[in-house]
């Protein structure tokens, strides 16, 4: 009895200590926000190679699994040591996955870089840009000669611009050069983290089963059986959503890039390979990706031939309509389960908070959160003996407190019987409500 009382007091004492310690830590962090942010950035910089490695390993995991499923049975037939066959299969699958990824990246750069160099050299050597500047200067001079008031205003603007430029050179040019050097150092750091990340990805792919087993062991020891089963189920759902969305988007973007190359070749467009790669890569970003890739491509073609730029805009609009209405739904299906409104919401919020990375992962991440919240709401409704089908709430006026029966709009008091409950979803379907409205 004394031992049980001691355990209770010890539990409450540890709880009080943790609450007080966390309160002190929170109070301290309020007055040390800059130091805390600096520490977090330093920690993120140290851990960034591991983040790169985890992302690379996750992207290569489907390829690794396919190769492993082919190599392992092949090796088991030729050896009597299953453990040795499994180790060899993991090593071969990892090496082949990384090799295939490096070959794809090398092929992409070998296609794009020559086009970029040729495009830059062509723009420098051509007379398009100098002629355009010369024509604009000539038009501006003629306009000033014919309009004295405009000439006086232009002279004033010129004087102010010269003064602003002088001030910028004196006060801001040196910090800008410092930022340029910082940008170059950031590029070198990115390259270093990427190279180390590839090595870390090799270790993760080789040891992913061990890491998964250790993670499950830790969760069951800390959270118990019920909570751990719930966590594992949601982690598997998250993996399905992210894997299906990213894999489908990559395949969809590759097909769009190939179709763009074919269409531009038929239309005899300039910079065919470069623009096709840009359109294909930016197409990975949902909703805004086509515009991000099409705008600079159109400006590049506009310097060569304005009429072809117009044709290119029409071609891209047709191609994106095909992708959004036919190809994309066929490949992605209902991988996220989100409506168009929530897709746009996830893109804007993710892009505003985390930039390009937020736009890439915002949709599947929001889909996971959406499904988790929906599941919690439906479970709460079921515990209260209330309907969890969204269609039941379309024409709902109120729910009877005693019978929990749905009372639709305009119903008489005697219509609140339990047999009136199924009328709401049928009426909602007849009204043309979408079938996916069952989801919260």
């Amino acid at each position: 009895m004394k031992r049980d009382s001691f355990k209770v007091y010890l539990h409450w004492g540890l709880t009080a200590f943790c609450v007080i310690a966390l309160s002190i830590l929170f109070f301290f962090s309020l007055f040390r926000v800059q130091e805390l942010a600096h520490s977090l950035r330093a920690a993120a910089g140290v851990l960034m190679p591991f983040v790169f490695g985890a992302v690379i390993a996750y992207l290569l995991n489907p390829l690794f699994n396919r190769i492993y499923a082919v190599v392992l049975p092949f090796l088991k037939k030729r050896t009597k040591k299953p453990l040795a066959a499994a180790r060899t299969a993991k090593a071969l699958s990892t090496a082949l996955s990384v090799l295939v990824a490096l070959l794809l990246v090398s092929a992409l750069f070998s296609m794009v870089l020559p086009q970029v160099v040729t495009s830059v050299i062509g723009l420098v050597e051509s007379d398009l840009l100098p002629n355009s500047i010369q024509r604009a200067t000539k038009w501006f001079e003629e306009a000033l000669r014919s309009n004295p008031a405009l000439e006086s205003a232009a002279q004033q603007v010129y004087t102010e611009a010269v003064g602003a430029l002088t001030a910028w050179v004196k006060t801001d040019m040196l910090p800008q050069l410092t930022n340029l050097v910082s940008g170059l150092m950031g590029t070198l750091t990115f390259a270093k983290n990427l190279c180390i990340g590839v090595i870390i990805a090799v270790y993760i792919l080789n040891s992913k089963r061990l890491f998964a087993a250790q993670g499950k062991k830790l969760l069951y020891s800390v959270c118990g059986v019920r909570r751990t089963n719930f966590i594992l189920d949601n982690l598997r759902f998250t993996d399905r959503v992210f894997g299906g969305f990213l894999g489908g988007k990559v395949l969809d973007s590759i097909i769009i890039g190939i179709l763009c190359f074919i269409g531009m070749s038929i239309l005899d467009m300039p910079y065919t390979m470069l623009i096709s790669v840009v359109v294909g890569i930016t197409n990975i970003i949902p909703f805004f990706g086509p515009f991000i890739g099409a705008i600079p491509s159109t400006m590049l073609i506009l310097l060569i031939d304005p009429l072809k730029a117009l044709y290119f805009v029409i071609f891209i609009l047709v191609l994106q309509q095909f992708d959004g209405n036919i190809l994309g739904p066929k490949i992605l299906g209902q991988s996220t389960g989100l409506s168009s409104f929530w897709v746009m919401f996830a893109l804007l919020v993710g892009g505003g908070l985390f930039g390009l990375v937020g736009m890439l992962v915002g949709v599947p991440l929001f889909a996971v959160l959406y499904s988790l919240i929906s599941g919690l709401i439906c479970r709460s409704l079921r515990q209260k003996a209330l309907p969890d089908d969204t269609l039941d709430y379309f024409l709902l006026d109120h729910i009877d407190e005693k019978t929990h029966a749905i009372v639709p709009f305009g119903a008489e008091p005697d219509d609140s019987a339990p047999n009136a409950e199924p009328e709401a979803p049928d009426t909602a379907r007849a009204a043309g409500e979408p079938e996916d409205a069952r989801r919260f």
Side-chain angles (χ1 to χ4, degrees):
M1 188 69 179
K2 293 182 178 180
R3 181 175 297 180
D4 293 338
S5 300
F6 174 75
K7 288 183 178 180
V8 171
Y9 289 133
L10 179 63
H11 177 267
W12 280 106
L14 290 175
T15 303
F17 174 77
C18 292
V19 170
I20 294 172
L22 290 175
S23 301
I24 295 173
L25 181 62
F26 176 74
F27 180 78
F28 176 79
S29 63
L30 291 179
F31 295 94
R32 296 291 187 271
V33 176
Q34 293 183 353
E35 291 83 352
L36 183 61
H38 178 73
S39 301
L40 291 176
R41 283 195 296 268
V46 173
L47 297 176
M48 194 55 64
F50 294 92
V51 175
F52 276 65
V55 172
I56 294 172
Y58 184 77
L59 294 177
L60 293 180
N61 187 55
L63 180 60
F64 173 89
N65 292 335
R66 290 180 179 273
I67 297 175
Y68 185 79
V70 174
V71 173
L72 183 59
F74 177 79
L75 292 178
K76 282 185 175 180
K77 292 179 181 178
R78 285 159 175 77
T79 182
K80 297 181 180 180
K81 299 179 179 179
L83 292 178
R87 293 194 191 97
T88 307
K90 285 194 298 183
L92 287 175
S93 301
T94 302
L96 290 175
S97 301
V98 175
L99 181 61
V100 169
L102 292 176
L103 288 176
L104 289 176
V105 174
S106 301
L108 182 64
F109 276 104
S110 64
M111 289 188 297
V112 174
L113 287 180
Q115 287 283 327
V116 173
V117 173
T118 303
S119 303
V120 172
I121 293 176
L123 288 175
V124 171
E125 293 181 349
S126 65
D127 296 331
L128 292 174
L129 193 58
N131 288 340
S132 300
I133 295 175
Q134 185 178 2
R135 287 196 299 268
T137 304
K138 184 178 180 181
W139 175 85
F140 190 66
E141 291 176 351
E142 292 178 354
L144 291 179
R145 283 196 297 266
S146 60
N147 194 336
L150 181 61
E151 183 178 5
S152 176
Q155 183 66 33
Q156 183 179 358
V157 171
Y158 174 77
T159 304
E160 294 177 356
V162 170
L165 180 61
T166 304
W168 176 80
V169 171
K170 292 180 179 179
T171 59
D172 297 335
M173 188 172 181
L174 185 59
Q176 293 294 332
L177 292 176
T178 305
N179 293 334
L180 179 61
V181 173
S182 300
L184 293 176
M185 294 301 297
T187 304
L188 294 177
T189 304
F190 176 84
K192 181 202 72 174
N193 291 336
L194 184 61
C195 293
I196 300 176
V198 173
I199 300 174
I200 294 175
V202 172
Y203 286 102
I204 293 176
L205 288 174
N206 263 327
S207 306
K208 64 172 187 173
R209 294 180 182 272
L210 175 62
F211 293 154
Q214 291 174 340
K216 294 175 185 177
K217 181 179 177 181
L218 176 63
L219 285 174
Y220 277 111
S221 67
V222 175
C223 302
V225 175
R226 182 181 177 184
R227 291 181 180 178
T228 301
N229 289 337
F230 176 77
I231 293 172
L232 293 178
D233 183 60
N234 282 277
L235 287 176
R236 294 187 184 100
F237 174 76
T238 303
D239 177 64
R240 287 195 301 269
V241 172
F242 269 85
F245 179 80
L246 294 178
K249 253 311 182 181
V250 169
L251 178 60
D252 175 67
S253 299
I254 291 174
I255 296 175
I256 289 299
I258 294 173
L259 293 177
C260 182
F261 177 80
I262 296 173
M264 291 185 66
S265 300
I266 294 174
L267 296 174
D268 194 23
M269 295 282 183
Y271 312 120
T272 302
M273 180 60 70
L274 176 62
I275 292 177
S276 299
V277 172
V278 171
V279 170
I281 291 176
T282 56
N283 192 70
I284 297 177
I285 302 174
F287 197 80
F288 296 108
F291 303 101
I292 296 175
I295 291 174
S297 302
T298 304
M299 297 301 295
L300 187 61
I301 298 177
L302 188 64
L303 296 174
I304 305 298
D305 191 338
L307 186 60
K308 287 186 176 181
L310 177 61
Y311 293 157
F312 174 76
V313 171
I314 298 173
F315 169 70
I316 287 296
L317 289 175
V318 174
L319 184 63
Q320 294 306 324
Q321 288 297 316
F322 168 75
D323 179 38
N325 297 317
I326 299 176
L327 182 63
K330 288 290 183 182
I331 295 177
L332 295 175
Q334 298 296 327
S335 60
T336 61
L338 294 178
S339 63
S340 301
F341 172 81
W342 291 119
V343 169
M344 183 180 294
F345 177 83
L347 285 171
L348 292 175
V349 174
L353 293 177
F354 305 106
L356 181 61
V357 177
M359 297 183 75
L360 289 174
V361 302
V363 175
L365 181 60
F366 185 81
V368 172
L369 296 176
Y370 183 93
S371 178
L372 179 62
I373 295 173
S374 175
L376 293 175
I377 291 174
C378 291
R379 187 175 67 175
S380 176
L381 289 172
R382 287 193 295 268
Q383 291 175 351
K384 298 173 182 177
L386 296 174
D388 60 352
D389 193 339
T390 308
L391 291 175
D392 294 334
Y393 293 86
F394 271 101
L395 302 178
L396 179 143
D397 180 75
H398 67 278
I399 294 179
D400 188 88
E401 296 182 3
K402 296 180 179 180
T403 63
H404 286 182
I406 291 178
V407 180
F409 288 109
E412 297 294 333
D414 58 348
D415 290 336
S416 59
N419 57 5
E421 181 175 349
E423 294 181 3
D426 294 337
T427 311
R429 292 190 189 93
E433 299 296 345
E435 287 295 327
D436 61 353
R438 292 179 180 274
R439 295 177 56 87
F440 172 72

